[in-house]
Amino acid sequence: MASETGTIGTHAELIAMTALLAAGYEVAEPVAAESYDLVAKEPGTGEWRTFQVKTLRYRDDKGGDGGYYVLNGTRNNGVAYGPPDVDFMVGVAGDVCYLVPCTGQSEYWAAAGVIDEKWRKLTVNMNEAEAV
């Protein structure tokens, strides 16, 4: 039986793949173990980009300002992902994904009230993906 952590990670990767596909990307998975989870060809430019997928955490302990979403930017050993290993971090929350350029940070934060403006939002819905 698969571990809960492995199952959650696989579920997040499948949501990320679906959201990228809905946004017009051509998506592939690496066969060999890599520092990234997915590769995808950008629509329009045709350039291949690498993506590390993580589940977003919500934190409401910073006061009454609506809370924050936190995207973990590190590997299991605590070392941060950084360019050129990964182009984008993908934060998954439910059936919504956020693309965040990878800059080597250990955590990426976005206030709940401005997350859609700060990070690029992708959804699994084809109709919504066209509007985003």
Side-chain angles (χ1 to χ4, degrees):
M1 177 176 229
S3 71
E4 184 177 354
T5 302
T7 301
I8 291 169
T10 300
H11 184 249
E13 287 177 24
L14 291 170
I15 290 171
M17 281 186 226
T18 304
L20 287 165
L21 287 167
Y25 286 78
E26 181 180 328
V27 181
E29 284 184 285
V31 173
E34 293 291 344
S35 59
Y36 48 85
D37 293 320
L38 305 171
V39 293
K41 188 186 292 187
E42 289 184 334
T45 68
E47 294 184 43
W48 286 96
R49 302 290 183 199
T50 55
F51 300 84
Q52 177 61 41
V53 180
K54 299 284 187 176
T55 302
L56 282 177
R57 289 181 292 127
Y58 180 75
R59 290 192 56 182
D60 195 18
D61 60 352
K62 294 288 185 186
D65 57 0
Y68 290 83
Y69 285 95
V70 182
L71 176 58
N72 179 16
T74 62
R75 297 168 171 85
N76 290 339
N77 64 6
V79 175
Y81 294 98
D85 299 323
V86 176
D87 294 314
F88 290 95
M89 302 298 295
V90 180
V92 178
D95 61 355
V96 175
C97 295
Y98 292 93
L99 293 185
V100 180
C102 181
T103 58
Q105 296 173 216
S106 60
E107 290 184 331
Y108 300 83
W109 291 64
V114 297
I115 190 171
D116 290 351
E117 290 80 36
K118 184 172 183 178
W119 296 339
R120 182 171 176 215
K121 180 180 179 180
L122 300 178
T123 68
V124 297
N125 185 321
M126 294 289 286
N127 295 331
E128 289 178 28
E130 293 171 7
V132 174

